[in-house]
Amino acid sequence: DGGSRKEVVIDGVMKNGRVGTSYTFFLQLIDDNGVQVSTQPTDVQVFLSILNMAETLYEVPVWDPDLKKFKFTITANVRIARYYTVVVSVCVDPATCIGTPGVNNYIEVKNTGVRVEMRPADASAAKAIVTGAGTVSGTVTVQSSFTVTSVDEFDNNYHDGPDGPSGPLTWYNNFFGPDDYTVSFTSPPPSSVSKSGFVQNNRDGTYLVTYTPTKSDPQVPSLLVISLVPQGGGTAIEAKRFDILVRHGPLSPTLTYLDPASGLGANRPADRVGEDINFVIWAIDVEGNEYTTPDVVFTVQVVPYPETAAAGASSFTTTSYHQPAGGTNLNRFEVVVPGPRVSTMGYYFVFIRDPDGNLISENGASIQLAAGDVDVGNSRVLAASGSSSVPASATVPVIVNIIAKDSAGNVLTIAENCPAVVTGDPCPLVQVTFIQDSGFPTYAPVATVRKALADGVSFEVLFLQAIPGYYTVNVRFTRGSGNVLNPYGMYATPLPAPTLFTCQMLDTLGGIRCVFNEPTNTPATQSSELGSVNFFDCSRVLDAVTVLLLGRGPRCAWADDSTLIITTGVEPLIRARSENSIADKIILARNVIRGKAANSYYSSGFVLLDAPETLPTIVAVINAPSVVSVCDDLVLKGADSIGGGGRFLIYRWAVSSDYDTTTIRSVIDAVNLASSGKSPTVTIPVAGLQEDGTWFFTLEVENFLGGKATASTSVTKSTTPVPLVNIRGPGLLEVKPSEVVVLVADASLPISSCPASLTPAGDTIIYQWTQLEGPALAFTGTMAQTRQARRFNIADNTLWYGTEYKFQVETYLTSNAGKFTRDTVIVRVGYDDITPAKLGSDLRIAAGAATTLVVDSQDLMVDSRKTSVPRAWRYLWDCSVVDVIAATSTSCSATILLLLYSANTPTVSFPAGFLVAINDVTTVYNISVAVSREPIVTSARRETSDWIRITASILSTLSVRATVTQTVSMSLGRLSDTAETYLQCIVDRPQLATASLQGWNSVSAAAMLHYRWVMIQGQLPNVNFNNNLEATVGESTSSDILIPRETLIVGGDYTFGCYVLLADPPFGVNPAYNGFNVDPEIGATGFAMTETRQVNGPPSGGTASISPTSGEELITKFTITAQGWTDDTEIFYAFYYSLIPNPDFTADLLILTGAMQSSPQFIGRLPFGSPLYIWVKVQD
């Protein structure tokens, strides 16, 4: 009943409550006696009132039977943070407690109530309050800020609360301190730069946030994100986000630049007089951001160079204007210098400055103002030389100047050459048309336009007026509608004709060399009517009068474009100029020969034929018996005279004596008259000579060059018969020291008409041989043995090399030993050099493998028979190690050098372990050898050398050698196209066994050798054969390849290579692995190349002749001459005869000379034959 104890029912303050949270209060009823009520009373009504809310909240308590108390629950509807008063009211008379609950007839348990402290709830990210300019916009480099006010979900903030029973409420200090915020600021793509803001906790529920933008964008905003970090940590919760438009920062003079399309320098498009000059500026702030607003103005000043100012130009200053986004230049600053303000062409300095006066353009930057559009009235075309008529030339271009001016009189110029195909400006389109003169070929001139070299000229047009005629230069400019200048015409006159400078007879006397002062159009005179592309009928280039003088069947050829070679025909008549003769003319055919480019007048006229540089030696020789038989006619012969050069000699005989010469003179006159002096023989009948008389005969011979020589002899008429004698063969015989020399004398008995009393039966001819000149020979009875023999044999190695011998044979009859006749022969002894040393092609061997080298060199002067005089060969071997990368070399090891220095032999064998890989690295050895041989005369040393490269490989490498040989002797190391060619690939057999035993790259005893040949250098016309050569053609049998005769091309260089594989089956063809379809890491391989060989060709271009063309057996001396033969090596000749017109050259020819000789002439007597067929063999 609210007695005296009511004041102790509820008292005090409840702290640390939180809004939005349910709280429960318990009420214990106590009666007046102080006893706790344990059962729910039926006559008591209790209410709980919560004050200080928008309206008082009444709660009805609930009896808890377990606790024996009333239970009051304050639910989550308390949302405002503050103090609340909780009052409990009790009504003990329910009938009277009608009306407002807890008011009418209710008694408060305690009048002061219970003070309940309700603090704010946890901070809410969604309810955070963000205010400030930093959430709207920003500026680069300028700090932006905003404030974050933290509230709970019921909008309670966290500043200090109202006073309470125990003092002011301090929400922040006592409750919310651990909460915090994070801020990120991200620029839009493509930069996408993210930065964190700085958050300052004000410790009153508010936060000050600052950030500084570095990237701007005029259209796309940056993103500002604010996140709440909950109390006690954990994942941040996004609170707010804002789109921020960031503008550029302060201007940077160093980063601001000109747009490349309109910048200064070599890449700037051409500026022209009369056109606006544009500059586009990219304004950039200090952080590299583009300016997006027109808040900066640039100043541009254009200042002419001094020389441009001297021409009337003046400075001009203007400012920029901004092109906004979406305009032509997209947020750029454009400067336009009006064209009319700058009308003088030339160079101008350009100064671009920002508002602070900082220079944006480079100091000294400039532009070139070119002339404007071409004005036809101010422009013209003219020849640079000042003349519109020039000689045609295929090498020297004509230069035409184009002076192109604009309407202001400025001359158009360019910096570099115009392109070949002109489509741009200011290069003009130039076309040259051509109408050729009559008789000249058509021609398509091509014009080249370039920068003019002369002042006041715009362009130079270069073209070749290669052919005489009229050239028209048409010029058009491509700007605007296309300005066309008036055509300009030029005339090209023919060049002077090539002049025949000189014609000189060759030393062989069978040819003539004619030289022009310049190259000629030789292809126009070439033809193949003579069976060769090199020779043609001389009538194509020479006048008919000259061709007649050249004999029957002359041939012509061009040695080069300015040298004509004429090969005379049979019985030529043409004469060369000399002291004693008048020259004939070499007359050119008309309308044939022009200059090389066919743009000259035709050559014409003539020159006199000059004598050869070396005149032929003319020697008069009289062959006549010193004693003429009483029964014989006297035959005087001058046919052994030399120096005719393949032409007839003129023979002039004279006689003097105390005896009668009437008959003799009349015979000489008759012979001269009948033969025009060309007969070398005069026969005096037996009746014309008196017995025991002596006559002195003189012979003067003259060749077609006017050269003369004389010879004399005396003849006595015997009263008894004497024989006639002749040594078979030429009067000069060239031999080798190792040859056996056989001299044969032919003699005849007196004529049968001689009285029998003068030629007794059984009369025989006695022969007596004598050495007249040369080193004395020890014949050891030879002379005695040959007393009655026609043959005189001289053993090999008896005659000394480099010397000349003269031998004589005398003959007489046994019945008349006091009367004899004689003949002589000269034997010249010489030698050829030893052949070049050949070691073969380079080798590649396995490191440490044994190998053998053999050098080949031969003495061509010594045949295969043993000689009585030893000739010492000497071999000097040497070795060096090559550093291929450094291109240096060092000496080989002492072991190798000792082996080589002691080997004076053509063969050197390197044992295993000598040629090793130094430091386990593939090593290259150079092995050289010098070969020499001493001839008989020790002062003439002969020496040759060669070297070979041996690679000692650390890989599984087989030692391979590749060779090329032929069935014929390869003189000078050359191949012959007429012989079969053999290629042989030789593998070191002992090394094969080593490879199998040691298991090189999985090689076993079952391994097989495979070969593949390739041609490294050369050409094979037979395509099928070439394809076969490039492919694998078998197994071990493919080590040898046969190339048929007439397959190789004359003059070509050939090198062949051989790949070798030692591997276990299976195998196949695969070009990727040197032709073998195996793993390149399996098996042992090798490779070798043959030496490069050139295919030799025979001599060419010559003819042969004989004089006279008839005579008497053993009496007449004939001269056989091979003339005009050419080759790139020394030429040798041999002379043969046959009795049938179409002999078998291997069986039917009989030799006139003992061996091939260097002389192109045979002078001697011939055996009987009617007719007799003469053959000359010419070889290199």
Side-chain angles (χ1 to χ4, degrees):
D1 57 2
S4 61
R5 303 184 64 87
K6 64 180 181 181
E7 69 276 0
V8 297
V9 175
I10 297 176
D11 195 10
V13 177
M14 185 186 74
K15 297 183 178 181
N16 297 329
R18 302 183 68 184
V19 297
T21 304
S22 296
Y23 292 94
T24 302
F25 296 85
F26 297 94
L27 173 65
Q28 177 67 56
L29 294 180
I30 301 174
D31 62 14
D32 290 340
N33 299 317
V35 178
Q36 295 181 354
V37 178
S38 59
T39 59
Q40 180 178 8
T42 59
D43 56 351
V44 178
Q45 190 167 338
V46 180
F47 286 91
L48 179 70
S49 301
I50 302 174
L51 308 180
N52 298 330
M53 296 182 64
E55 60 181 282
T56 303
L57 176 67
Y58 297 95
E59 290 287 344
V60 177
V62 177
W63 178 262
D64 188 331
D66 294 329
L67 298 177
K68 298 179 177 59
K69 299 178 181 179
F70 281 103
K71 182 169 62 176
F72 300 88
T73 301
I74 300 176
T75 58
N77 55 2
V78 180
R79 298 180 179 180
I80 300 175
R82 60 174 298 168
Y83 281 107
Y84 290 89
T85 301
V86 179
V87 178
V88 179
S89 300
V90 177
C91 179
V92 296
D93 184 3
T96 62
C97 298
I98 299 173
T100 303
V103 177
N104 296 331
N105 298 320
Y106 277 80
I107 301 173
E108 292 183 355
V109 174
K110 190 174 178 64
N111 292 331
T112 58
V114 178
R115 300 294 186 267
V116 179
E117 183 183 70
M118 300 299 285
R119 297 175 178 273
D122 290 342
S124 170
K127 290 286 188 173
I129 301 171
V130 182
T131 59
T135 61
V136 178
S137 64
T139 300
V140 172
T141 72
V142 177
Q143 188 180 72
S144 296
S145 65
F146 58 88
T147 299
V148 178
T149 300
S150 188
V151 298
D152 64 8
E153 62 180 311
F154 307 110
D155 298 321
N156 297 297
N157 56 30
Y158 297 91
H159 52 77
D160 288 344
D163 289 341
S166 58
L169 294 180
T170 55
W171 304 149
Y172 177 82
N173 293 330
N174 296 332
F175 175 70
F176 193 68
D179 284 341
D180 203 354
Y181 286 89
T182 61
V183 175
S184 66
F185 184 79
T186 305
S187 63
S191 62
S192 300
V193 175
S194 182
K195 303 192 66 160
S196 297
F198 176 76
V199 180
Q200 176 183 315
N201 190 340
N202 295 328
R203 310 189 67 83
D204 61 356
T206 64
Y207 299 82
L208 177 63
V209 181
T210 59
Y211 65 92
T212 303
T214 59
K215 296 296 178 182
S216 67
D217 191 287
Q219 295 175 324
V220 181
S222 297
L223 178 63
L224 176 67
V225 177
I226 304 165
S227 300
L228 171 67
V229 179
Q231 178 179 356
T235 304
I237 303 171
E238 182 179 321
K240 300 290 181 180
R241 63 170 53 204
F242 299 92
D243 288 336
I244 310 296
L245 286 176
V246 180
R247 69 191 301 274
H248 55 77
L251 181 72
S252 169
T254 57
L255 297 180
T256 299
Y257 62 96
L258 291 176
D259 186 285
S262 65
L264 301 174
N267 295 326
R268 178 174 175 81
D271 294 297
R272 311 176 70 88
V273 168
E275 297 179 356
D276 292 346
I277 303 174
N278 294 283
F279 301 100
V280 175
I281 303 171
W282 289 20
I284 306 297
D285 68 12
V286 292
E287 291 291 342
N289 299 293
E290 175 187 340
Y291 260 54
T292 59
T293 56
D295 52 357
V296 65
V297 176
F298 296 94
T299 301
V300 176
Q301 185 179 22
V302 180
V303 180
Y305 276 29
E307 56 269 27
T308 308
S314 59
S315 300
F316 180 76
T317 302
T318 187
T319 57
S320 66
Y321 63 93
H322 180 245
Q323 282 274 14
T328 303
N329 292 303
L330 293 178
N331 285 325
R332 306 293 187 261
F333 294 83
E334 186 171 356
V335 180
V336 178
V337 179
R341 299 302 301 269
V342 184
S343 61
T344 303
M345 63 176 291
Y347 287 90
Y348 293 80
F349 292 110
V350 177
F351 301 98
I352 303 177
R353 292 182 171 86
D354 66 9
D356 296 329
N358 297 308
L359 191 63
I360 302 301
S361 59
E362 294 183 7
N363 191 22
S366 64
I367 61 171
Q368 181 185 9
L369 190 62
D373 290 341
V374 177
D375 183 80
V376 175
N378 285 341
S379 306
R380 59 181 179 146
V381 181
L382 73 162
S385 64
S387 174
S388 60
S389 178
V390 295
S393 174
T395 57
V396 179
V398 172
I399 301 178
V400 175
N401 290 335
I402 300 177
I403 303 174
K405 295 182 179 181
D406 61 14
S407 57
N410 295 300
V411 178
L412 276 75
T413 58
I414 56 174
E416 300 294 337
N417 290 351
C418 289
V421 179
V422 182
T423 58
D425 174 70
C427 291
L429 290 170
V430 178
Q431 182 182 17
V432 180
T433 57
F434 169 62
I435 302 175
Q436 78 269 28
D437 280 354
S438 176
F440 288 94
T442 59
Y443 174 60
V446 177
T448 299
V449 182
R450 73 179 187 189
K451 175 184 177 182
L453 302 179
D455 293 336
V457 178
S458 303
F459 311 97
E460 290 180 348
V461 179
L462 289 77
F463 61 94
L464 292 174
Q465 293 190 158
I467 302 300
Y470 187 74
Y471 294 77
T472 303
V473 181
N474 301 280
V475 181
R476 181 172 67 88
F477 285 84
T478 57
R479 281 181 62 84
S481 60
N483 296 313
V484 180
L485 302 184
N486 291 330
Y488 183 76
M490 295 192 67
Y491 183 73
T493 60
L495 291 174
T499 301
L500 183 57
F501 182 69
T502 180
C503 287
Q504 184 178 31
M505 185 169 287
L506 301 177
D507 289 347
T508 61
L509 306 180
I512 298 170
R513 178 186 289 108
C514 292
V515 179
F516 289 82
N517 66 332
E518 63 178 85
T520 64
N521 59 331
T522 55
T525 64
Q526 300 281 13
S527 70
S528 57
E529 67 260 20
L530 299 181
S532 169
V533 296
N534 294 322
F535 290 102
F536 54 89
D537 191 330
C538 290
S539 63
R540 294 175 62 88
V541 293
L542 299 178
D543 186 80
V545 174
T546 300
V547 174
L548 288 176
L549 296 175
L550 296 176
R552 299 193 304 274
R555 297 189 297 175
C556 288
W558 290 96
D560 54 54
D561 290 341
S562 59
T563 305
L564 176 67
I565 301 298
I566 304 170
T567 302
T568 56
V570 179
E571 296 182 357
L573 302 175
I574 196 163
R575 297 168 297 175
R577 178 167 44 193
S578 69
E579 295 180 358
N580 302 310
S581 66
I582 299 176
D584 287 317
K585 298 176 182 177
I586 302 294
I587 307 173
L588 296 176
R590 298 179 62 84
N591 300 331
V592 175
I593 297 176
R594 277 180 169 157
K596 178 67 176 178
N599 57 2
S600 71
Y601 292 106
Y602 286 111
S603 296
S604 62
F606 66 90
V607 294
L608 296 177
L609 178 60
D610 290 328
E613 292 183 3
T614 304
L615 294 174
T617 302
I618 183 167
V619 178
V621 178
I622 298 177
N623 284 317
S626 57
V627 179
V628 64
S629 175
V630 67
C631 303
D632 292 329
D633 295 337
L634 171 60
V635 181
L636 300 171
K637 293 174 289 184
D640 282 345
S641 300
I642 61 174
R647 311 256 194 113
F648 287 111
L649 286 171
I650 302 300
Y651 301 90
R652 301 185 182 93
W653 293 93
V655 63
S656 64
S657 177
D658 293 336
Y659 291 84
D660 183 27
T661 61
T662 303
T663 302
I664 299 174
R665 292 179 186 277
S666 62
V667 170
I668 290 173
D669 291 342
V671 170
N672 287 338
L673 180 62
S675 65
S676 300
K678 297 179 181 178
S679 174
T681 303
V682 174
T683 302
I684 309 300
V686 63
L689 303 174
Q690 299 170 264
E691 293 184 13
D692 286 332
T694 299
W695 290 263
F696 298 94
F697 292 93
T698 300
L699 172 63
E700 180 187 71
V701 292
E702 180 181 354
N703 62 17
F704 71 100
L705 296 172
K708 297 178 181 180
T710 59
S712 299
T713 188
S714 62
V715 177
T716 301
K717 178 66 175 287
S718 175
T719 58
T720 59
V722 293
L724 299 177
V725 68
N726 175 63
I727 298 176
R728 184 179 299 176
L732 175 64
L733 185 64
E734 293 182 312
V735 299
K736 303 175 182 179
S738 58
E739 286 187 66
V740 174
V741 180
V742 180
L743 302 177
V744 180
D746 294 319
S748 59
L749 291 171
I751 62 177
S752 58
S753 61
C754 203
S757 59
L758 298 179
T759 55
D763 203 358
T764 59
I765 300 174
I766 304 300
Y767 298 86
Q768 180 67 47
W769 292 91
T770 308
Q771 179 186 347
L772 301 180
E773 297 177 5
L777 301 179
F779 283 95
T780 62
T782 300
M783 291 300 186
Q785 294 173 8
T786 61
R787 180 174 180 79
Q788 293 185 355
R790 295 172 57 201
R791 302 174 65 87
F792 175 29
N793 298 329
I794 303 176
D796 62 328
N797 297 307
T798 300
L799 305 179
W800 285 40
Y801 121 92
T803 58
E804 198 170 83
Y805 296 83
K806 188 174 185 180
F807 297 99
Q808 173 183 275
V809 64
E810 294 179 323
T811 60
Y812 58 89
L813 298 175
T814 54
S815 60
N816 190 9
K819 301 293 184 179
F820 56 84
T821 57
R822 63 180 62 90
D823 196 10
T824 60
V825 65
I826 296 174
V827 179
R828 183 177 298 159
V829 187
Y831 77 95
D832 293 326
D833 203 353
I834 59 176
T835 59
K838 292 294 182 182
L839 276 172
S841 58
D842 293 345
L843 295 178
R844 188 176 184 90
I845 64 173
T851 191
T852 299
L853 298 180
V854 179
V855 62
D856 176 54
S857 181
Q858 301 176 7
D859 190 340
L860 299 179
M861 204 60 225
V862 180
D863 57 25
S864 61
R865 290 175 295 174
K866 291 184 177 181
T867 61
S868 58
V869 180
R871 293 174 172 82
W873 287 92
R874 188 178 184 187
Y875 303 89
L876 298 178
W877 295 86
D878 206 346
C879 173
S880 62
V881 177
V882 179
D883 186 332
V884 178
I885 298 177
T888 59
S889 62
T890 56
S891 295
C892 293
S893 66
T895 304
I896 296 176
L897 294 178
L898 181 61
L899 170 70
L900 295 178
Y901 291 166
S902 60
N904 187 20
T905 60
T907 302
V908 167
S909 296
F910 293 93
F914 269 56
L915 301 178
V916 298
I918 301 175
N919 297 327
D920 294 328
V921 176
T922 296
T923 304
V924 178
Y925 294 86
N926 267 6
I927 310 297
S928 63
V929 61
V931 182
S932 61
R933 190 169 196 191
E934 301 292 346
I936 297 176
V937 178
T938 57
S939 61
R941 179 182 179 89
R942 294 173 286 167
E943 183 173 301
T944 179
S945 62
D946 194 17
W947 63 276
I948 189 174
R949 177 168 289 183
I950 301 178
T951 302
S953 175
I954 60 175
L955 303 176
S956 300
T957 303
L958 298 173
S959 297
V960 182
R961 183 186 293 272
T963 63
V964 53
T965 58
Q966 288 190 323
T967 53
V968 299
S969 175
M970 295 192 297
S971 177
L972 300 179
R974 297 189 181 187
L975 301 173
S976 172
D977 68 318
T978 60
E980 294 177 330
T981 303
Y982 294 92
L983 306 179
Q984 188 174 22
C985 199
I986 305 168
V987 182
D988 185 84
R989 291 293 170 177
Q991 198 182 46
L992 295 180
T994 301
S996 298
L997 291 175
Q998 295 181 356
W1000 282 5
N1001 282 358
S1002 304
V1003 172
S1004 70
M1008 300 177 64
L1009 275 174
H1010 316 290
Y1011 300 84
R1012 176 174 174 261
W1013 281 95
V1014 296
M1015 185 169 62
I1016 297 173
Q1017 180 181 11
Q1019 182 180 1
L1020 296 174
N1022 187 325
V1023 177
N1024 292 331
F1025 179 80
N1026 190 25
N1027 292 338
N1028 292 334
L1029 185 67
E1030 293 289 338
T1032 302
V1033 292
E1035 297 178 8
S1036 59
T1037 55
S1038 64
S1039 61
D1040 296 345
I1041 296 290
L1042 173 64
I1043 300 178
R1045 59 172 54 92
E1046 297 181 355
T1047 300
L1048 305 180
I1049 299 175
V1050 172
D1053 291 327
Y1054 288 85
T1055 308
F1056 300 93
C1058 175
Y1059 290 99
V1060 180
L1061 170 69
L1062 178 66
D1064 292 354
F1067 62 91
V1069 177
N1070 186 344
Y1073 299 134
N1074 295 337
F1076 307 112
N1077 187 18
V1078 296
D1079 186 340
E1081 299 300 324
I1082 297 178
T1085 60
F1087 174 74
M1089 291 192 304
T1090 65
E1091 291 185 279
T1092 300
R1093 303 283 190 181
Q1094 186 181 69
V1095 181
N1096 188 36
S1100 62
T1103 60
S1105 62
I1106 185 171
S1107 177
T1109 57
S1110 63
E1112 300 176 54
E1113 177 191 12
L1114 303 179
I1115 299 297
T1116 304
K1117 275 197 174 181
F1118 292 88
T1119 300
I1120 307 173
T1121 303
Q1123 58 191 16
W1125 294 93
T1126 58
D1127 195 78
D1128 58 352
T1129 62
E1130 188 177 357
I1131 300 178
F1132 299 92
Y1133 306 84
F1135 299 87
Y1136 302 86
Y1137 70 94
S1138 68
L1139 300 176
I1140 56 178
N1142 298 304
D1144 181 347
F1145 291 150
T1146 62
D1148 297 337
L1149 291 186
L1150 301 173
I1151 192 166
L1152 292 172
T1153 54
M1156 302 295 291
Q1157 64 183 43
S1158 59
S1159 173
Q1161 274 193 337
F1162 167 86
I1163 301 176
R1165 298 175 175 85
L1166 300 177
F1168 173 79
S1170 183
L1172 198 64
Y1173 298 95
I1174 304 301
W1175 303 88
V1176 182
K1177 180 180 181 181
V1178 185
Q1179 74 175 42
D1180 59 10

